[in-house]
Amino acid sequence: MDLQLTTHAAIRASQRGVPHDLIADLLTHADLETPVGGGCVAFSVSRRRLADRDLRRSAGRSLDRLRNLSVVCDATDGTVVTVLHQQGARGRRYHRA
């Protein structure tokens, strides 16, 4: 998978300690899509999906790091706009069902 990141997304991923292969894993295994406005969609992995045995085998060590991570993408072309850890009230915006 060839990731396209905006400059903002690359900076945020670096600041937050999220490697590009972890972003690719999240986009591969994401099962929650949340529209967040501005033509963007937040992708994340649900608790139920994290408990899946097949995912545990394929994700391995990165499974714990996927727990509270969201990736916001442009809905039209799939470019990664930003990467964030879901924490507190602000993080809930990106994890609505």
Side-chain angles (χ1 to χ4, degrees), residues 1-29 62 65-66 69-71 73 79-83:
M1 173 187 273
D2 186 30
L3 284 178
Q4 291 185 345
L5 279 76
T6 61
T7 304
H8 175 80
I11 291 169
R12 290 293 182 239
S14 176
Q15 287 174 339
R16 294 172 178 154
V18 180
H20 292 224
D21 59 339
L22 190 63
I23 296 170
D25 284 348
L26 187 135
L27 292 173
T28 301
H29 301 296
S62 66
R65 297 192 69 195
L66 293 175
L69 190 67
S70 282
V71 174
C73 296
T79 302
V80 176
V81 175
T82 194
V83 178

Side-chain angles (χ1 to χ4, degrees), residues 40-54:
C40 293
V41 178
F43 293 98
S44 56
V45 182
S46 68
R47 289 180 190 167
R48 178 172 283 173
R49 179 85 171 116
L50 287 169
D52 184 30
R53 243 186 283 186
D54 294 333

